[in-house]
């Protein structure tokens, strides 16, 4: 394993901590996945890209990562609380489908969009409906600990009694007395002993579509319970990393911690990681504001707020240009800038793969150039080791890209760097772009074949001094998003930036 001192910002401790896995080289990582009742949107993309990058970098460092990301297909009620309709069942009624048809349809489209963003498939992708027995067993274990109570076929977690043993609110920083005080103005609390209590199992009304038999009657699991059941089954009672969006910190992750401590007597995860939220033109994304944008709308440009379509790799690159704990504002100007940056990086990737070391015994090594390259390489890894700071790492990659472009155009002779440093700059750039950041070219094999033909015709026309034909081919390539590079010793193409 490479010698890196990786630091992760742990939401639980509110500070950066040196990453020390529980059982190295193995790492267990659980990330809250989507509730599948609609098309994937920007809010789904950010945690997917964030934790894909975490997975990629941990794997690059030599860790053997078991990456578990769930699918929520039951129990997530409207309002994200203990009352209301199941989000998937509500969609099923509207579309006159079975709930599992809805769940399957939007699981499939989620996978399609994640593939377009080049996110790695998780090691295990469990569904909540596939783990009902495990969830029932967890409810019983919490009841046996005296930290839950049953009312009319529903089971609730007793937050006040739990707080006598463990601090409820330690992840989010919420104060229980303030939560209780803030809930007193609500019109009653129904079956609960206290409004801050949350459902582990809910009794199902006769018209409820998704329900199962349990020791407490026919019902369905609480939303928070599902992740505790699935994470503990596949990663154990105490694992390394739990990830998700900042919006899940309270109450979802707070309740997971309470459930884990209640039945397993320990926190579920050692490190809690949360990506920050996104905004659209400075506003929170919401359907009522008319700025709710799905990934397919972004990829197709089919939304009133979009000037154009933005490719999946442009979106991925844009997300990586901000630290995952920073808010990220989507605007046409920012996305167009990201589109240019992505194309610069990919043009550099193509060049890096073609460059070859050319020895020249008459050229002395340039110590200053070597120092600049080695510093940029060190800084790129240092940025990733500092809580996965992709934004800074990309900045250092652009420093390497300047050297790569200079070697390509002949301004910098590779022999000035020496064979070892030349190899390091090429390998580092390729590894970062493809393996760590997960960026890739988006042209098809058919486009490459067409490019080869057009460049051949361009070369012939230029040799024959048929400049009308030269201009015609150049314009045709530009309309496809490519530019011709006329150089002293070769003709090449690049993505138009």
């Amino acid at each position: 394993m490479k010698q890196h001192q990786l630091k992760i910002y742990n939401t639980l401790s509110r500070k950066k901590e040196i990453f020390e896995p529980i059982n190295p080289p193995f790492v267990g990582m659980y990330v809250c996945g989507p509730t599948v009742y609609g098309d994937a949107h920007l809010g789904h993309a950010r945690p997917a890209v964030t934790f894909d990058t975490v997975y990629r970098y941990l794997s690059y460092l030599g860790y053997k990562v078991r990456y578990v990301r769930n699918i929520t297909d039951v129990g997530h009620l409207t309002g994200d609380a203990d009352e209301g309709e199941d989000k998937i069942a509500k969609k099923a009624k509207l579309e006159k489908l079975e709930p599992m048809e809805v769940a399957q349809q939007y699981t499939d489209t989620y996978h399609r969009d994640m593939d377009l963003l080049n996110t790695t498939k998780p090691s295990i992708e469990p569904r909540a409906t596939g783990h009902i027995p495990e969830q029932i067993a967890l409810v019983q274990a919490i009841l046996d600990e005296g930290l839950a109570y049953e009312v009319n076929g529903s089971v609730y977690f007793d937050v006040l009694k739990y707080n006598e043993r463990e601090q409820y609110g330690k992840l989010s920083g919420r104060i229980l007395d303030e939560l209780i005080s803030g809930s007193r103005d609500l019109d009653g609390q129904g079956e609960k002993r206290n409004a801050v209590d949350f459902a582990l199992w809910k009794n199902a009304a006769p018209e409820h579509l998704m329900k199962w038999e349990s020791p407490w009657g026919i019902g369905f699991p609480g939303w928070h319970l599902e992740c505790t059941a699935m994470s503990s089954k596949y990663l154990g009672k105490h694992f390394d990393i739990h990830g998700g969006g900042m919006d899940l910190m309270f109450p979802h992750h707070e309740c997971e911690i309470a459930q884990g401590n209640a039945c397993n007597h320990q926190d579920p995860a050692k490190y809690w990681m949360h990506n920050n939220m996104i905004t659209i033109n400075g506003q929170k994304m919401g359907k009522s504001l008319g700025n709710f944008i799905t990934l397919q709308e972004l990829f197709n440009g089919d939304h009133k707020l979009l000037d154009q379509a933005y490719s999946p790799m442009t979106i991925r690159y844009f997300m990586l240009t901000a630290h995952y704990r920073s808010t990220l504002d989507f605007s046409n100007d920012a996305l167009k800038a990201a589109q240019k940056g992505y194309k610069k990086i990919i043009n550099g990737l193509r060049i890096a793969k073609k460059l070859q070391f050319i020895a020249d015994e008459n050229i002395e090594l340039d110590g200053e150039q070597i120092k600049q390259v080695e510093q940029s390489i060190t800084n790129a890894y240092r940025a990733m080791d500092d809580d996965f700071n992709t934004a800074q790492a990309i900045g250092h990659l652009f420093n390497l890209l300047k050297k790569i472009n200079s070697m390509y155009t002949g301004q910098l002779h590779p022999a000035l760097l020496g064979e070892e440093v030349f190899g390091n700059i090429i390998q580092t750039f390729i590894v970062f772009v493809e393996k760590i950041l997960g960026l890739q070219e988006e042209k098809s094999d058919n486009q490459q074949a067409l490019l080869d033909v057009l460049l051949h015709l361009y070369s012939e026309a230029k040799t024959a001094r048929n400049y009308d034909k030269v201009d015609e081919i150049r314009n045709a390539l530009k309309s496809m998003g490519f530019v011709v590079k006329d150089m002293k010793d070769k003709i090449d193409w690049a993505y138009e930036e």
Side-chain angles (χ1 to χ4, degrees):
M1 190 179 297
K2 298 178 187 296
Q3 294 303 308
H4 287 258
Q5 191 176 71
L6 174 63
K7 290 184 178 179
I8 293 178
Y9 182 86
N10 190 349
T11 310
L12 193 60
S13 65
R14 292 167 182 74
K15 63 183 181 182
K16 291 178 186 176
E17 299 176 6
I18 295 172
F19 180 60
E20 296 176 331
I22 297 165
N23 184 29
F26 301 99
V27 173
M29 180 170 77
Y30 184 89
V31 178
C32 289
T35 301
V36 281
Y37 67 102
D39 287 321
H41 52 73
L42 283 170
H44 293 119
R46 192 164 197 198
V49 170
T50 294
F51 293 101
D52 176 58
T53 309
V54 171
Y55 171 78
R56 286 172 176 274
Y57 194 59
L58 289 172
S59 299
Y60 170 75
L61 293 183
Y63 292 111
K64 299 183 183 306
V65 187
R66 178 178 287 176
Y67 174 19
V68 181
R69 186 184 67 206
N70 73 297
I71 296 288
T72 295
D73 56 0
V74 67
H76 195 168
L77 306 183
T78 53
D80 298 339
D82 293 335
E83 303 301 329
E85 212 172 345
D86 185 293
K87 292 184 177 186
I88 291 169
K90 182 179 180 181
K91 186 79 168 182
K93 287 178 185 176
L94 285 172
E95 299 191 6
K96 294 182 171 53
L97 297 170
E98 282 289 325
M100 285 298 99
E101 282 184 276
V102 171
Q104 189 63 53
Q105 175 186 337
Y106 291 114
T107 299
D108 289 345
T109 57
Y110 174 79
H111 286 155
R112 172 202 64 198
D113 292 344
M114 294 308 107
D115 287 346
L116 289 170
L117 288 170
N118 198 30
T119 62
T120 312
K121 288 179 171 58
S123 316
I124 303 172
E125 191 173 56
R127 297 188 183 212
T129 53
H131 297 78
I132 300 298
E134 290 88 348
Q135 293 174 75
I136 289 173
L138 270 179
V139 176
Q140 189 59 59
I142 296 171
L143 280 166
D144 292 344
E145 288 283 338
L147 295 176
Y149 55 90
E150 186 263 332
V151 184
N152 301 327
S154 293
V155 182
Y156 296 96
F157 191 94
D158 193 329
V159 172
L160 268 66
K161 189 170 282 189
Y162 167 79
N163 199 58
E164 295 172 4
R165 304 187 194 181
E166 295 283 343
Q167 180 192 351
Y168 181 80
K170 65 181 182 179
L171 178 71
S172 61
R174 306 290 177 102
I175 308 299
L176 185 55
D177 288 345
E178 293 176 4
L179 290 171
I180 293 169
S181 176
S183 65
R184 282 182 184 142
D185 297 333
L186 300 175
D187 292 333
Q189 55 199 42
E191 304 169 327
K192 299 180 185 181
R193 291 178 185 171
N194 196 295
V196 295
D197 294 348
F198 58 89
L200 298 172
W201 185 267
K202 286 284 288 181
N203 180 53
E207 67 273 13
H208 199 90
L209 295 177
M210 305 172 79
K211 50 196 173 187
W212 292 264
E213 289 186 3
S214 79
W216 316 284
I218 295 175
F220 57 92
W223 174 37
H224 313 308
L225 187 73
E226 300 167 2
C227 287
T228 299
M230 291 183 282
S231 63
S232 60
K233 173 163 184 172
Y234 296 110
L235 298 174
K237 296 174 181 178
H238 185 57
F239 53 92
D240 296 294
I241 298 172
H242 194 311
M246 198 173 281
D247 56 322
L248 297 177
M249 192 190 305
F250 186 87
H252 187 54
H253 292 165
E254 199 73 73
C255 293
E256 281 189 65
I257 287 178
Q259 289 165 167
N261 274 292
C263 58
N264 298 326
H265 305 286
Q266 56 188 323
D267 284 347
K270 185 175 180 181
Y271 305 92
W272 289 80
M273 295 180 66
H274 293 90
N275 64 273
N276 213 322
M277 298 295 96
I278 59 149
T279 53
I280 311 292
N281 298 320
Q283 285 187 307
K284 184 178 178 182
M285 188 173 74
K287 290 182 179 176
S288 62
L289 297 172
N291 66 353
F292 184 87
I293 305 178
T294 68
L295 291 176
Q296 282 298 309
E297 286 172 334
L298 264 174
F299 300 157
N300 299 325
D302 188 21
H303 192 282
K304 63 182 181 181
L305 294 179
L306 299 175
D307 291 346
Q308 62 175 71
Y310 299 100
S311 74
M313 285 298 100
T314 296
I315 301 303
R316 182 179 180 108
Y317 174 83
F318 178 54
M319 290 183 169
L320 294 171
T321 58
H323 191 276
Y324 75 89
R325 288 192 289 113
S326 303
T327 54
L328 182 61
D329 186 52
F330 279 76
S331 67
N332 282 290
D333 287 346
L335 287 168
K336 286 172 185 173
Q339 187 176 54
K340 287 185 177 180
Y342 160 69
K343 287 181 177 178
K344 285 181 190 292
I345 288 285
I346 293 302
N347 281 331
L349 180 68
R350 290 187 59 253
I351 293 168
K353 288 182 174 181
K354 290 192 291 186
L355 278 179
Q356 292 182 329
F357 182 75
I358 303 168
D360 190 332
E361 294 179 0
N362 298 317
I363 296 178
E364 291 185 14
L365 296 179
D366 187 326
E368 186 59 33
Q369 294 278 6
I370 291 171
K371 183 180 176 182
Q372 290 172 5
V373 168
E374 290 178 337
Q375 191 62 56
S376 293
I377 291 173
T378 298
N379 288 343
Y381 283 110
R382 189 174 288 160
M384 290 302 296
D385 289 339
D386 185 16
D387 194 31
F388 308 98
N389 196 329
T390 54
Q392 285 189 5
I394 287 171
H396 299 304
L397 282 191
F398 272 106
N399 289 334
L400 294 181
L401 180 57
K402 289 176 186 175
K403 303 297 184 189
I404 290 169
N405 284 334
S406 293
M407 286 189 283
Y408 179 61
T409 58
Q411 293 172 293
L412 174 64
H413 198 291
L416 289 169
L417 299 178
E419 191 166 5
E420 183 180 350
V421 175
F422 171 84
N424 285 343
I425 191 174
I426 299 301
Q427 182 191 30
T428 300
F429 194 84
I430 293 172
V431 163
F432 257 89
V433 174
E434 293 186 327
K435 301 289 186 188
I436 297 173
L437 300 178
L439 298 169
Q440 60 184 7
E441 285 193 72
E442 292 182 305
K443 67 175 172 53
S444 66
D445 291 340
N446 289 338
Q447 281 182 308
Q448 181 61 60
L450 182 58
L451 274 167
D452 292 342
V453 170
L454 288 174
L455 281 182
H456 178 70
L457 293 173
Y458 180 91
S459 180
E460 287 185 339
K462 192 176 179 186
T463 301
R465 298 189 178 185
N466 185 349
Y467 297 118
D468 288 342
K469 179 63 71 177
V470 166
D471 290 341
E472 184 184 341
I473 296 170
R474 185 184 289 277
N475 291 335
L477 284 165
K478 189 172 184 179
S479 70
M480 294 164 57
F482 306 106
V483 292
V484 177
K485 295 284 188 182
D486 274 312
M487 305 172 78
K488 288 182 181 178
D489 56 344
K490 58 192 168 218
I491 296 171
D492 203 354
W493 66 269
Y495 293 99
E496 186 179 22
E497 298 167 6

